Amino acid sequence: TTELAPGVFAYVQATGAFCIANAGLVDGREGVTAIDALFTPVMARALLDEAARVSSRPIARLLSTHHHIDHTGGNASFPRETQIVAHARAKAEMERVGFGVVEIVKRMAPHFIDDLAGAAERLPDVTFEGGVLELTAGDRRLRLLHFGTGHTRGDVMVHLPDERLLFAGDVGFFYVTPLGF
């Protein structure tokens, strides 16, 4: 975990390999806003533990950058009172693809089988259409930006304009040509 600005953290998982994503944490008066839930319940619990380490506030909101399982598989591990926000297209893709994709991943990466115990689907509670949704985390402005189809149909980047930070989900990769579907 790296503090990028006061109360804003990048949670970077070590390898960045298949189904290994990164996440973000933004501390605010009403609670912590998490950016992406990661893949497995084990990974999500580690992120939640890290959120508790960097803030005494509960997780108030979870922002999904897109529908892929390595970013949403941990959604159900977040407290029920946590509001999940995504673009409407991302939710539609979650509904279309379903949680059965976990079975496919188990065949492709069997080393995740134990970590997937207890995994369950949890869809976003709140969605938005169009290009921008403005939110706040305490006094901090968060802009969810959707520029159309990129990596997926429902990509959202989380922009913190005052801090000049951008959580890009899988729209931006290091050393990899991004996939688009």
Side-chain angles (χ1 to χ4, degrees):
T1 301
T2 302
E3 191 166 22
L4 305 173
V8 180
F9 303 88
Y11 181 83
V12 179
Q13 294 193 97
T15 65
F18 180 70
C19 284
I20 305 294
N22 299 321
L25 299 167
V26 181
D27 198 9
R29 273 192 317 270
E30 69 285 344
V32 174
T33 296
I35 303 165
D36 284 334
L38 305 176
F39 175 42
T40 68
V42 170
M43 291 176 187
R45 282 192 294 276
L47 176 62
L48 290 166
D49 289 346
E50 190 63 12
R53 187 186 72 75
V54 300
S55 176
S56 60
R57 297 169 191 55
I59 301 283
R61 185 170 41 212
L62 170 61
L63 308 177
S64 294
T65 61
H66 62 293
H67 75 278
H68 286 164
I69 195 76
D70 57 326
H71 294 259
T72 61
N75 283 7
S77 298
F78 278 68
R80 286 302 310 159
E81 59 274 9
T82 300
Q83 179 185 68
I84 301 177
V85 180
H87 195 274
R89 288 182 175 184
K91 182 177 182 180
E93 287 300 298
M94 287 179 201
E95 292 170 332
R96 183 184 69 80
V97 172
F99 208 64
V101 73
V102 168
E103 295 306 315
I104 295 167
V105 171
K106 284 180 181 177
R107 287 193 296 274
M108 294 172 67
H111 56 282
F112 284 121
I113 289 174
D114 291 340
D115 289 354
L116 286 165
E121 183 175 46
R122 183 168 167 203
L123 297 172
D125 307 300
V126 174
T127 62
F128 71 101
E129 299 274 351
V132 180
L133 175 64
E134 302 264 349
L135 301 171
T136 58
D139 295 334
R140 197 179 315 270
R141 294 185 306 145
L142 304 172
R143 301 178 71 229
L144 280 64
L145 307 174
H146 173 74
F147 294 108
T149 300
H151 177 65
T152 70
R153 293 179 63 236
D155 289 312
V156 169
M157 292 185 278
V158 181
H159 182 223
L160 286 74
D162 297 329
E163 290 79 6
R164 299 178 59 193
L165 293 171
L166 181 72
F167 289 89
D170 281 356
V171 172
F173 290 86
F174 285 106
Y175 308 115
V176 175
T177 300
L179 302 171
F181 56 96

